[in-house]
Amino acid sequence: MSSILIHAWVVFKKNDQYYLPYSHWVYLCEIVKYYDEVILLSPTLSSDCLDVENSYLGIGCFSVVSVYELPGA
């Protein structure tokens, strides 16, 4: 099993769903092709008032990705 730990990408959280800026999401699309497990060790900004659904892309479609939350940036 191959794993990778990615740190320092800020992840946005709303309603227990995680979101990334487009550029990071595109990188993640490629990374999941090469690893069985992808762990994001990330500062997490959580807010119900963020418009993340329209500004960022969800990562729920990646079954091999786990998020370990750090305090927000």
Side-chain angles (χ1 to χ4, degrees):
M1 174 194 248
S2 59
S3 301
I4 187 170
L5 173 71
I6 300 170
H7 65 89
W9 283 3
V10 175
V11 173
F12 298 87
K13 182 178 180 182
K14 184 174 183 180
N15 299 327
D16 293 324
Q17 300 294 317
Y18 295 104
Y19 299 86
L20 288 174
Y22 177 76
S23 59
H24 289 161
W25 189 88
V26 170
Y27 284 123
L28 191 59
C29 279
E30 192 64 23
I31 290 167
V32 298
K33 294 177 185 177
Y34 302 100
Y35 294 93
D36 299 316
E37 181 181 27
V38 178
I39 300 167
L40 301 179
L41 182 62
S42 302
T44 304
L45 297 177
S46 180
S47 175
D48 289 332
C49 61
L50 287 175
D51 188 23
V52 292
E53 292 96 344
N54 294 318
S55 303
Y56 302 94
L57 296 169
I59 63 171
C61 59
F62 302 114
S63 62
V64 298
V65 175
S66 300
V67 177
Y68 289 81
E69 295 182 22
L70 296 174

PDB file of all heavy atoms in Angstrom, residues 5-13 18-21 24 28 38-45 59 65-73:
ATOM      1  N   LEU A   5       1.409  11.910   2.576  1.00  0.00           N
ATOM      2  CA  LEU A   5       0.923  12.914   3.510  1.00  0.00           C
ATOM      3  C   LEU A   5       1.185  14.282   2.891  1.00  0.00           C
ATOM      4  O   LEU A   5       2.318  14.594   2.529  1.00  0.00           O
ATOM      5  CB  LEU A   5       1.649  12.804   4.853  1.00  0.00           C
ATOM      6  CG  LEU A   5       1.364  13.903   5.869  1.00  0.00           C
ATOM      7  CD1 LEU A   5      -0.051  13.767   6.404  1.00  0.00           C
ATOM      8  CD2 LEU A   5       2.372  13.853   6.995  1.00  0.00           C
ATOM      9  N   ILE A   6       0.137  15.043   2.753  1.00  0.00           N
ATOM     10  CA  ILE A   6       0.261  16.403   2.224  1.00  0.00           C
ATOM     11  C   ILE A   6      -0.103  17.345   3.357  1.00  0.00           C
ATOM     12  O   ILE A   6      -1.138  17.173   4.006  1.00  0.00           O
ATOM     13  CB  ILE A   6      -0.676  16.615   1.021  1.00  0.00           C
ATOM     14  CG1 ILE A   6      -0.336  15.627  -0.091  1.00  0.00           C
ATOM     15  CG2 ILE A   6      -0.594  18.054   0.520  1.00  0.00           C
ATOM     16  CD1 ILE A   6      -1.328  15.595  -1.216  1.00  0.00           C
ATOM     17  N   HIS A   7       0.739  18.338   3.598  1.00  0.00           N
ATOM     18  CA  HIS A   7       0.457  19.255   4.697  1.00  0.00           C
ATOM     19  C   HIS A   7       0.449  20.692   4.186  1.00  0.00           C
ATOM     20  O   HIS A   7       0.949  20.987   3.102  1.00  0.00           O
ATOM     21  CB  HIS A   7       1.477  19.085   5.826  1.00  0.00           C
ATOM     22  CG  HIS A   7       2.864  19.464   5.418  1.00  0.00           C
ATOM     23  ND1 HIS A   7       3.345  20.744   5.541  1.00  0.00           N
ATOM     24  CD2 HIS A   7       3.852  18.733   4.866  1.00  0.00           C
ATOM     25  CE1 HIS A   7       4.584  20.786   5.099  1.00  0.00           C
ATOM     26  NE2 HIS A   7       4.913  19.575   4.669  1.00  0.00           N
ATOM     27  N   ALA A   8      -0.168  21.536   4.961  1.00  0.00           N
ATOM     28  CA  ALA A   8      -0.168  22.989   4.764  1.00  0.00           C
ATOM     29  C   ALA A   8      -1.138  23.486   3.698  1.00  0.00           C
ATOM     30  O   ALA A   8      -1.188  24.675   3.445  1.00  0.00           O
ATOM     31  CB  ALA A   8       1.237  23.530   4.496  1.00  0.00           C
ATOM     32  N   TRP A   9      -1.898  22.606   3.053  1.00  0.00           N
ATOM     33  CA  TRP A   9      -2.979  23.094   2.195  1.00  0.00           C
ATOM     34  C   TRP A   9      -4.142  23.462   3.101  1.00  0.00           C
ATOM     35  O   TRP A   9      -4.586  22.642   3.909  1.00  0.00           O
ATOM     36  CB  TRP A   9      -3.472  22.003   1.257  1.00  0.00           C
ATOM     37  CG  TRP A   9      -2.618  21.697   0.079  1.00  0.00           C
ATOM     38  CD1 TRP A   9      -1.409  22.244  -0.240  1.00  0.00           C
ATOM     39  CD2 TRP A   9      -2.917  20.755  -0.950  1.00  0.00           C
ATOM     40  NE1 TRP A   9      -0.936  21.701  -1.404  1.00  0.00           N
ATOM     41  CE2 TRP A   9      -1.846  20.778  -1.863  1.00  0.00           C
ATOM     42  CE3 TRP A   9      -3.977  19.897  -1.192  1.00  0.00           C
ATOM     43  CZ2 TRP A   9      -1.811  19.983  -2.994  1.00  0.00           C
ATOM     44  CZ3 TRP A   9      -3.947  19.101  -2.316  1.00  0.00           C
ATOM     45  CH2 TRP A   9      -2.880  19.150  -3.203  1.00  0.00           C
ATOM     46  N   VAL A  10      -4.634  24.663   3.013  1.00  0.00           N
ATOM     47  CA  VAL A  10      -5.800  25.050   3.811  1.00  0.00           C
ATOM     48  C   VAL A  10      -7.029  24.369   3.222  1.00  0.00           C
ATOM     49  O   VAL A  10      -7.272  24.409   2.021  1.00  0.00           O
ATOM     50  CB  VAL A  10      -5.986  26.581   3.838  1.00  0.00           C
ATOM     51  CG1 VAL A  10      -7.266  26.960   4.554  1.00  0.00           C
ATOM     52  CG2 VAL A  10      -4.787  27.244   4.502  1.00  0.00           C
ATOM     53  N   VAL A  11      -7.775  23.706   4.095  1.00  0.00           N
ATOM     54  CA  VAL A  11      -9.009  23.022   3.705  1.00  0.00           C
ATOM     55  C   VAL A  11     -10.169  23.791   4.321  1.00  0.00           C
ATOM     56  O   VAL A  11     -10.089  24.253   5.459  1.00  0.00           O
ATOM     57  CB  VAL A  11      -8.993  21.566   4.208  1.00  0.00           C
ATOM     58  CG1 VAL A  11     -10.320  20.887   3.972  1.00  0.00           C
ATOM     59  CG2 VAL A  11      -7.875  20.785   3.546  1.00  0.00           C
ATOM     60  N   PHE A  12     -11.226  23.929   3.565  1.00  0.00           N
ATOM     61  CA  PHE A  12     -12.424  24.601   4.060  1.00  0.00           C
ATOM     62  C   PHE A  12     -13.466  23.549   4.390  1.00  0.00           C
ATOM     63  O   PHE A  12     -13.591  22.551   3.681  1.00  0.00           O
ATOM     64  CB  PHE A  12     -12.955  25.583   3.012  1.00  0.00           C
ATOM     65  CG  PHE A  12     -11.973  26.671   2.709  1.00  0.00           C
ATOM     66  CD1 PHE A  12     -10.997  26.501   1.738  1.00  0.00           C
ATOM     67  CD2 PHE A  12     -11.993  27.850   3.430  1.00  0.00           C
ATOM     68  CE1 PHE A  12     -10.065  27.485   1.476  1.00  0.00           C
ATOM     69  CE2 PHE A  12     -11.065  28.853   3.175  1.00  0.00           C
ATOM     70  CZ  PHE A  12     -10.099  28.665   2.191  1.00  0.00           C
ATOM     71  N   LYS A  13     -14.204  23.758   5.471  1.00  0.00           N
ATOM     72  CA  LYS A  13     -15.183  22.777   5.922  1.00  0.00           C
ATOM     73  C   LYS A  13     -16.527  23.454   6.125  1.00  0.00           C
ATOM     74  O   LYS A  13     -16.622  24.501   6.762  1.00  0.00           O
ATOM     75  CB  LYS A  13     -14.716  22.135   7.227  1.00  0.00           C
ATOM     76  CG  LYS A  13     -15.635  21.063   7.749  1.00  0.00           C
ATOM     77  CD  LYS A  13     -15.056  20.456   9.008  1.00  0.00           C
ATOM     78  CE  LYS A  13     -15.957  19.367   9.544  1.00  0.00           C
ATOM     79  NZ  LYS A  13     -15.408  18.811  10.796  1.00  0.00           N
ATOM     80  N   TYR A  18     -15.585  18.717   3.090  1.00  0.00           N
ATOM     81  CA  TYR A  18     -14.335  19.433   2.908  1.00  0.00           C
ATOM     82  C   TYR A  18     -14.215  19.958   1.484  1.00  0.00           C
ATOM     83  O   TYR A  18     -14.641  19.303   0.528  1.00  0.00           O
ATOM     84  CB  TYR A  18     -13.143  18.523   3.209  1.00  0.00           C
ATOM     85  CG  TYR A  18     -13.076  18.087   4.642  1.00  0.00           C
ATOM     86  CD1 TYR A  18     -13.443  16.806   5.016  1.00  0.00           C
ATOM     87  CD2 TYR A  18     -12.645  18.960   5.630  1.00  0.00           C
ATOM     88  CE1 TYR A  18     -13.380  16.395   6.337  1.00  0.00           C
ATOM     89  CE2 TYR A  18     -12.580  18.568   6.957  1.00  0.00           C
ATOM     90  CZ  TYR A  18     -12.944  17.287   7.304  1.00  0.00           C
ATOM     91  OH  TYR A  18     -12.887  16.890   8.616  1.00  0.00           O
ATOM     92  N   TYR A  19     -13.591  21.124   1.360  1.00  0.00           N
ATOM     93  CA  TYR A  19     -13.448  21.800   0.071  1.00  0.00           C
ATOM     94  C   TYR A  19     -12.026  22.323  -0.087  1.00  0.00           C
ATOM     95  O   TYR A  19     -11.383  22.692   0.897  1.00  0.00           O
ATOM     96  CB  TYR A  19     -14.423  22.975  -0.024  1.00  0.00           C
ATOM     97  CG  TYR A  19     -15.862  22.564   0.071  1.00  0.00           C
ATOM     98  CD1 TYR A  19     -16.482  22.421   1.307  1.00  0.00           C
ATOM     99  CD2 TYR A  19     -16.610  22.317  -1.075  1.00  0.00           C
ATOM    100  CE1 TYR A  19     -17.811  22.027   1.399  1.00  0.00           C
ATOM    101  CE2 TYR A  19     -17.943  21.932  -0.988  1.00  0.00           C
ATOM    102  CZ  TYR A  19     -18.530  21.792   0.248  1.00  0.00           C
ATOM    103  OH  TYR A  19     -19.846  21.401   0.327  1.00  0.00           O
ATOM    104  N   LEU A  20     -11.572  22.385  -1.341  1.00  0.00           N
ATOM    105  CA  LEU A  20     -10.253  22.916  -1.675  1.00  0.00           C
ATOM    106  C   LEU A  20     -10.373  23.978  -2.761  1.00  0.00           C
ATOM    107  O   LEU A  20     -11.291  23.920  -3.583  1.00  0.00           O
ATOM    108  CB  LEU A  20      -9.352  21.801  -2.225  1.00  0.00           C
ATOM    109  CG  LEU A  20      -8.834  20.749  -1.265  1.00  0.00           C
ATOM    110  CD1 LEU A  20      -8.091  19.672  -2.043  1.00  0.00           C
ATOM    111  CD2 LEU A  20      -7.931  21.361  -0.218  1.00  0.00           C
ATOM    112  N   PRO A  21      -9.412  24.899  -2.803  1.00  0.00           N
ATOM    113  CA  PRO A  21      -9.338  25.795  -3.953  1.00  0.00           C
ATOM    114  C   PRO A  21      -9.097  24.969  -5.216  1.00  0.00           C
ATOM    115  O   PRO A  21      -8.523  23.873  -5.170  1.00  0.00           O
ATOM    116  CB  PRO A  21      -8.137  26.687  -3.657  1.00  0.00           C
ATOM    117  CG  PRO A  21      -7.879  26.541  -2.201  1.00  0.00           C
ATOM    118  CD  PRO A  21      -8.376  25.186  -1.811  1.00  0.00           C
ATOM    119  N   HIS A  24      -5.533  23.334  -5.937  1.00  0.00           N
ATOM    120  CA  HIS A  24      -5.199  22.183  -5.103  1.00  0.00           C
ATOM    121  C   HIS A  24      -6.053  20.978  -5.479  1.00  0.00           C
ATOM    122  O   HIS A  24      -5.582  19.840  -5.454  1.00  0.00           O
ATOM    123  CB  HIS A  24      -5.376  22.517  -3.622  1.00  0.00           C
ATOM    124  CG  HIS A  24      -4.337  23.467  -3.120  1.00  0.00           C
ATOM    125  ND1 HIS A  24      -4.502  24.191  -1.967  1.00  0.00           N
ATOM    126  CD2 HIS A  24      -3.126  23.822  -3.611  1.00  0.00           C
ATOM    127  CE1 HIS A  24      -3.436  24.952  -1.770  1.00  0.00           C
ATOM    128  NE2 HIS A  24      -2.592  24.741  -2.755  1.00  0.00           N
ATOM    129  N   LEU A  28      -4.844  17.262  -6.507  1.00  0.00           N
ATOM    130  CA  LEU A  28      -5.362  16.088  -5.807  1.00  0.00           C
ATOM    131  C   LEU A  28      -5.926  15.065  -6.793  1.00  0.00           C
ATOM    132  O   LEU A  28      -5.749  13.858  -6.605  1.00  0.00           O
ATOM    133  CB  LEU A  28      -6.423  16.513  -4.791  1.00  0.00           C
ATOM    134  CG  LEU A  28      -6.873  15.462  -3.794  1.00  0.00           C
ATOM    135  CD1 LEU A  28      -5.695  14.945  -2.971  1.00  0.00           C
ATOM    136  CD2 LEU A  28      -7.948  16.036  -2.879  1.00  0.00           C
ATOM    137  N   VAL A  38      -4.306   8.926   0.684  1.00  0.00           N
ATOM    138  CA  VAL A  38      -3.841  10.312   0.660  1.00  0.00           C
ATOM    139  C   VAL A  38      -4.347  10.975   1.927  1.00  0.00           C
ATOM    140  O   VAL A  38      -5.555  10.985   2.196  1.00  0.00           O
ATOM    141  CB  VAL A  38      -4.364  11.065  -0.584  1.00  0.00           C
ATOM    142  CG1 VAL A  38      -3.899  12.516  -0.560  1.00  0.00           C
ATOM    143  CG2 VAL A  38      -3.938  10.375  -1.866  1.00  0.00           C
ATOM    144  N   ILE A  39      -3.432  11.512   2.709  1.00  0.00           N
ATOM    145  CA  ILE A  39      -3.789  12.164   3.966  1.00  0.00           C
ATOM    146  C   ILE A  39      -3.466  13.646   3.849  1.00  0.00           C
ATOM    147  O   ILE A  39      -2.346  14.020   3.516  1.00  0.00           O
ATOM    148  CB  ILE A  39      -3.016  11.551   5.148  1.00  0.00           C
ATOM    149  CG1 ILE A  39      -3.352  10.067   5.264  1.00  0.00           C
ATOM    150  CG2 ILE A  39      -3.336  12.297   6.447  1.00  0.00           C
ATOM    151  CD1 ILE A  39      -2.413   9.309   6.179  1.00  0.00           C
ATOM    152  N   LEU A  40      -4.461  14.466   4.119  1.00  0.00           N
ATOM    153  CA  LEU A  40      -4.256  15.910   4.158  1.00  0.00           C
ATOM    154  C   LEU A  40      -4.173  16.323   5.620  1.00  0.00           C
ATOM    155  O   LEU A  40      -5.143  16.204   6.370  1.00  0.00           O
ATOM    156  CB  LEU A  40      -5.412  16.641   3.478  1.00  0.00           C
ATOM    157  CG  LEU A  40      -5.682  16.304   2.015  1.00  0.00           C
ATOM    158  CD1 LEU A  40      -6.877  17.102   1.503  1.00  0.00           C
ATOM    159  CD2 LEU A  40      -4.467  16.551   1.154  1.00  0.00           C
ATOM    160  N   LEU A  41      -3.021  16.778   6.051  1.00  0.00           N
ATOM    161  CA  LEU A  41      -2.807  17.314   7.384  1.00  0.00           C
ATOM    162  C   LEU A  41      -2.881  18.819   7.223  1.00  0.00           C
ATOM    163  O   LEU A  41      -1.909  19.458   6.809  1.00  0.00           O
ATOM    164  CB  LEU A  41      -1.442  16.858   7.920  1.00  0.00           C
ATOM    165  CG  LEU A  41      -1.064  17.289   9.317  1.00  0.00           C
ATOM    166  CD1 LEU A  41      -2.045  16.708  10.340  1.00  0.00           C
ATOM    167  CD2 LEU A  41       0.353  16.850   9.627  1.00  0.00           C
ATOM    168  N   SER A  42      -4.050  19.375   7.496  1.00  0.00           N
ATOM    169  CA  SER A  42      -4.342  20.721   6.996  1.00  0.00           C
ATOM    170  C   SER A  42      -4.964  21.651   8.019  1.00  0.00           C
ATOM    171  O   SER A  42      -5.846  21.247   8.773  1.00  0.00           O
ATOM    172  CB  SER A  42      -5.326  20.621   5.832  1.00  0.00           C
ATOM    173  OG  SER A  42      -4.818  19.828   4.812  1.00  0.00           O
ATOM    174  N   PRO A  43      -4.538  22.923   7.972  1.00  0.00           N
ATOM    175  CA  PRO A  43      -5.303  23.936   8.692  1.00  0.00           C
ATOM    176  C   PRO A  43      -6.712  23.951   8.091  1.00  0.00           C
ATOM    177  O   PRO A  43      -6.862  23.913   6.869  1.00  0.00           O
ATOM    178  CB  PRO A  43      -4.571  25.239   8.402  1.00  0.00           C
ATOM    179  CG  PRO A  43      -3.235  24.839   7.884  1.00  0.00           C
ATOM    180  CD  PRO A  43      -3.400  23.493   7.259  1.00  0.00           C
ATOM    181  N   THR A  44      -7.710  23.958   8.945  1.00  0.00           N
ATOM    182  CA  THR A  44      -9.085  23.855   8.460  1.00  0.00           C
ATOM    183  C   THR A  44      -9.887  25.068   8.920  1.00  0.00           C
ATOM    184  O   THR A  44      -9.935  25.372  10.105  1.00  0.00           O
ATOM    185  CB  THR A  44      -9.736  22.568   8.987  1.00  0.00           C
ATOM    186  OG1 THR A  44      -8.913  21.465   8.603  1.00  0.00           O
ATOM    187  CG2 THR A  44     -11.125  22.379   8.430  1.00  0.00           C
ATOM    188  N   LEU A  45     -10.490  25.736   7.966  1.00  0.00           N
ATOM    189  CA  LEU A  45     -11.374  26.859   8.262  1.00  0.00           C
ATOM    190  C   LEU A  45     -12.803  26.356   8.172  1.00  0.00           C
ATOM    191  O   LEU A  45     -13.224  25.842   7.139  1.00  0.00           O
ATOM    192  CB  LEU A  45     -11.148  28.001   7.275  1.00  0.00           C
ATOM    193  CG  LEU A  45      -9.770  28.637   7.303  1.00  0.00           C
ATOM    194  CD1 LEU A  45      -9.656  29.715   6.230  1.00  0.00           C
ATOM    195  CD2 LEU A  45      -9.479  29.233   8.667  1.00  0.00           C
ATOM    196  N   ILE A  59     -14.107  17.570  -1.916  1.00  0.00           N
ATOM    197  CA  ILE A  59     -13.204  16.431  -2.053  1.00  0.00           C
ATOM    198  C   ILE A  59     -13.883  15.125  -1.652  1.00  0.00           C
ATOM    199  O   ILE A  59     -13.225  14.089  -1.584  1.00  0.00           O
ATOM    200  CB  ILE A  59     -11.900  16.643  -1.263  1.00  0.00           C
ATOM    201  CG1 ILE A  59     -12.160  16.757   0.236  1.00  0.00           C
ATOM    202  CG2 ILE A  59     -11.157  17.859  -1.777  1.00  0.00           C
ATOM    203  CD1 ILE A  59     -10.887  16.753   1.064  1.00  0.00           C
ATOM    204  N   VAL A  65      -9.004   9.738   0.219  1.00  0.00           N
ATOM    205  CA  VAL A  65      -8.501  10.938   0.882  1.00  0.00           C
ATOM    206  C   VAL A  65      -9.073  11.053   2.289  1.00  0.00           C
ATOM    207  O   VAL A  65     -10.280  10.934   2.502  1.00  0.00           O
ATOM    208  CB  VAL A  65      -8.831  12.207   0.077  1.00  0.00           C
ATOM    209  CG1 VAL A  65      -8.403  13.461   0.827  1.00  0.00           C
ATOM    210  CG2 VAL A  65      -8.181  12.156  -1.296  1.00  0.00           C
ATOM    211  N   SER A  66      -8.191  11.284   3.260  1.00  0.00           N
ATOM    212  CA  SER A  66      -8.581  11.559   4.643  1.00  0.00           C
ATOM    213  C   SER A  66      -8.051  12.927   5.034  1.00  0.00           C
ATOM    214  O   SER A  66      -6.961  13.317   4.607  1.00  0.00           O
ATOM    215  CB  SER A  66      -7.975  10.524   5.600  1.00  0.00           C
ATOM    216  OG  SER A  66      -8.392   9.230   5.282  1.00  0.00           O
ATOM    217  N   VAL A  67      -8.810  13.620   5.850  1.00  0.00           N
ATOM    218  CA  VAL A  67      -8.395  14.946   6.321  1.00  0.00           C
ATOM    219  C   VAL A  67      -8.164  14.865   7.828  1.00  0.00           C
ATOM    220  O   VAL A  67      -9.026  14.412   8.574  1.00  0.00           O
ATOM    221  CB  VAL A  67      -9.450  16.021   6.010  1.00  0.00           C
ATOM    222  CG1 VAL A  67      -9.021  17.365   6.582  1.00  0.00           C
ATOM    223  CG2 VAL A  67      -9.679  16.121   4.509  1.00  0.00           C
ATOM    224  N   TYR A  68      -6.979  15.303   8.257  1.00  0.00           N
ATOM    225  CA  TYR A  68      -6.661  15.449   9.667  1.00  0.00           C
ATOM    226  C   TYR A  68      -6.587  16.941   9.919  1.00  0.00           C
ATOM    227  O   TYR A  68      -5.699  17.624   9.414  1.00  0.00           O
ATOM    228  CB  TYR A  68      -5.343  14.762  10.005  1.00  0.00           C
ATOM    229  CG  TYR A  68      -5.455  13.244   9.965  1.00  0.00           C
ATOM    230  CD1 TYR A  68      -5.390  12.561   8.766  1.00  0.00           C
ATOM    231  CD2 TYR A  68      -5.646  12.527  11.136  1.00  0.00           C
ATOM    232  CE1 TYR A  68      -5.514  11.190   8.712  1.00  0.00           C
ATOM    233  CE2 TYR A  68      -5.762  11.145  11.103  1.00  0.00           C
ATOM    234  CZ  TYR A  68      -5.703  10.485   9.877  1.00  0.00           C
ATOM    235  OH  TYR A  68      -5.831   9.126   9.832  1.00  0.00           O
ATOM    236  N   GLU A  69      -7.542  17.432  10.662  1.00  0.00           N
ATOM    237  CA  GLU A  69      -7.694  18.866  10.853  1.00  0.00           C
ATOM    238  C   GLU A  69      -6.684  19.440  11.839  1.00  0.00           C
ATOM    239  O   GLU A  69      -6.465  18.885  12.904  1.00  0.00           O
ATOM    240  CB  GLU A  69      -9.101  19.191  11.359  1.00  0.00           C
ATOM    241  CG  GLU A  69     -10.193  18.865  10.387  1.00  0.00           C
ATOM    242  CD  GLU A  69     -11.569  19.258  10.909  1.00  0.00           C
ATOM    243  OE1 GLU A  69     -11.658  20.129  11.789  1.00  0.00           O
ATOM    244  OE2 GLU A  69     -12.551  18.687  10.411  1.00  0.00           O
ATOM    245  N   LEU A  70      -6.102  20.555  11.445  1.00  0.00           N
ATOM    246  CA  LEU A  70      -5.297  21.386  12.322  1.00  0.00           C
ATOM    247  C   LEU A  70      -6.091  22.661  12.581  1.00  0.00           C
ATOM    248  O   LEU A  70      -7.018  22.989  11.818  1.00  0.00           O
ATOM    249  CB  LEU A  70      -3.961  21.735  11.656  1.00  0.00           C
ATOM    250  CG  LEU A  70      -3.016  20.574  11.356  1.00  0.00           C
ATOM    251  CD1 LEU A  70      -1.806  21.075  10.572  1.00  0.00           C
ATOM    252  CD2 LEU A  70      -2.584  19.887  12.635  1.00  0.00           C
ATOM    253  N   PRO A  71      -5.765  23.409  13.620  1.00  0.00           N
ATOM    254  CA  PRO A  71      -6.461  24.693  13.825  1.00  0.00           C
ATOM    255  C   PRO A  71      -6.353  25.568  12.595  1.00  0.00           C
ATOM    256  O   PRO A  71      -5.336  25.555  11.896  1.00  0.00           O
ATOM    257  CB  PRO A  71      -5.715  25.302  15.014  1.00  0.00           C
ATOM    258  CG  PRO A  71      -5.077  24.150  15.718  1.00  0.00           C
ATOM    259  CD  PRO A  71      -4.758  23.151  14.633  1.00  0.00           C
ATOM    260  N   GLY A  72      -7.405  26.323  12.312  1.00  0.00           N
ATOM    261  CA  GLY A  72      -7.475  27.173  11.122  1.00  0.00           C
ATOM    262  C   GLY A  72      -6.363  28.195  11.040  1.00  0.00           C
ATOM    263  O   GLY A  72      -5.786  28.607  12.047  1.00  0.00           O
ATOM    264  N   ALA A  73      -6.068  28.579   9.847  1.00  0.00           N
ATOM    265  CA  ALA A  73      -4.998  29.541   9.592  1.00  0.00           C
ATOM    266  C   ALA A  73      -5.422  30.929   9.993  1.00  0.00           C
ATOM    267  O   ALA A  73      -6.550  31.270  10.045  1.00  0.00           O
ATOM    268  CB  ALA A  73      -4.646  29.529   8.107  1.00  0.00           C
TER     269      ALA A  73
END
